[in-house]
Amino acid sequence: MTKATVHMARLTAAEMREAVVRNPVILLPLGSFEDQGPHMPMGDYLLADAVAERIAQEATQAGHETYVAPVLPFGGADFFGYMPGGIALSQTTLQAVLSDMLESLLRHGLTRLVILNGHGGNCTMIHDVTHSIMRKSGVIIPSFYLWRVAATIMPHIMGKEKAALSGGHGANPLTSIGMHLLPECIKPERLITLDLEKTAWGLKVVDFGTVDLNGVPVSIPLEGDSTATHGVGKGNPHLCSAEDGERLTAKLVEYGVQLVEHVIKKAS
């Protein structure tokens, strides 16, 4: 079956004008350009874009016209400013950029919009922007946080024990999905074995910016290299695989298509 042209950047202006009249679903993939571990490409936005393309293809083949907007490669600044070559946007800048992107589409009647988020540092900003739009126009723009959804799927794909041992920054789910979608970009020979128990400020690390004080979580301002050595957090990347990545991707696409269908239903 011939693949449909789903990337808006590949449409001609005439094709875009014709499509707008039909109010298709537009997916906006967001990612980041940061440390994802010594074995992974810094541009994890590539994965968000690749998943978006597969969702759009599946949805379009199912009869739901769907396109992918150009991916926003730079995420909101959070814990990864330590990485040489990394590029992040301040939260205020990113908020302005996303607002302008969405308003550009809404102004022409494109109201079936879905954000496919690939970066934790974008979450609060996305809520602020979409909440503001909802208040002004009544248009609800859902955000589908790809890697959070994938993390909830992991125990069903690979079992609870493996999911727990391999889950974390620089490991699952991104490494497995990368092994499946972008195998040419993954460098398995650079995988490292780390002490998965990390400490910062004299306390056990719970997560980025969070430490444990006698069983109580405390937030402290730390850069990610204090809690994720060489970009690898608590998960063991040696447990990642292309096979698990393929199954995770398939489920993400399945749920993504379901969200497209729901957006169409609610916007009708």
Side-chain angles (χ1 to χ4, degrees), residues 2 16 24 30-31 37 39 52 63 85 90 124 132 139 151 163 176 183 224 260 265:
T2 303
M16 191 70 246
L30 312 181
H39 56 288
S90 70
T124 300
S132 175
V139 175
S176 286
V260 166
K265 176 182 176 181

Side-chain angles (χ1 to χ4, degrees), residues 53-209:
E53 179 181 8
R54 282 157 177 77
I55 292 172
Q57 287 287 352
E58 290 287 335
T60 298
Q61 289 175 17
H64 314 301
E65 188 176 11
T66 304
Y67 297 101
V68 181
V71 63
L72 183 60
F74 308 125
D78 50 7
F79 303 106
F80 297 93
Y82 69 84
M83 182 64 207
I87 301 174
L89 303 179
S90 70
Q91 293 294 325
T92 51
T93 297
L94 187 60
Q95 183 170 347
V97 170
L98 182 62
S99 294
D100 285 352
M101 290 171 66
L102 294 172
E103 292 294 348
S104 294
L105 298 169
L106 289 167
R107 116 177 232 190
H108 295 285
L110 290 164
T111 57
R112 297 171 174 176
L113 308 176
V114 177
I115 296 171
L116 297 181
N117 180 31
H119 179 55
N122 294 342
C123 293
T124 300
M125 175 278 304
I126 290 171
H127 169 77
D128 290 346
V129 171
T130 56
H131 188 254
S132 175
I133 288 173
M134 184 271 294
R135 288 202 321 268
K136 289 188 298 183
S137 66
V139 175
I140 292 178
I141 302 172
S143 177
F144 190 63
Y145 185 6
L146 294 166
W147 317 141
R148 179 184 292 164
V149 174
T152 65
I153 297 169
M154 279 167 47
H156 306 286
I157 294 291
M158 60 190 70
K160 292 182 179 179
E161 182 178 1
K162 185 179 179 182
L165 292 174
S166 67
H169 197 271
N172 265 329
L174 250 66
T175 291
S176 286
I177 293 174
M179 287 175 168
H180 169 56
L181 293 179
L182 299 172
E184 70 281 3
C185 295
I186 312 301
K187 310 296 182 185
E189 69 278 7
R190 291 185 176 272
L191 280 168
I192 55 177
T193 301
L194 298 171
D195 178 6
L196 299 180
E197 292 294 327
K198 304 183 191 305
T199 60
W201 201 50
L203 298 171
K204 181 180 177 181
V205 171
V206 177
D207 202 349
F208 287 107

Side-chain angles (χ1 to χ4, degrees), residues 27-41:
L27 308 178
L28 287 85
L30 312 181
S32 66
F33 190 71
E34 64 184 28
D35 187 359
Q36 294 291 344
H39 56 288
M40 286 284 288

Side-chain angles (χ1 to χ4, degrees), residues 185-240:
C185 295
I186 312 301
K187 310 296 182 185
E189 69 278 7
R190 291 185 176 272
L191 280 168
I192 55 177
T193 301
L194 298 171
D195 178 6
L196 299 180
E197 292 294 327
K198 304 183 191 305
T199 60
W201 201 50
L203 298 171
K204 181 180 177 181
V205 171
V206 177
D207 202 349
F208 287 107
T210 306
V211 292
D212 182 289
L213 176 66
N214 299 322
V216 176
V218 177
S219 297
I220 57 176
L222 292 174
E223 288 279 72
D225 55 347
S226 297
T227 55
T229 310
H230 297 290
V232 179
K234 298 170 68 175
N236 185 351
H238 291 279
L239 297 176
C240 301

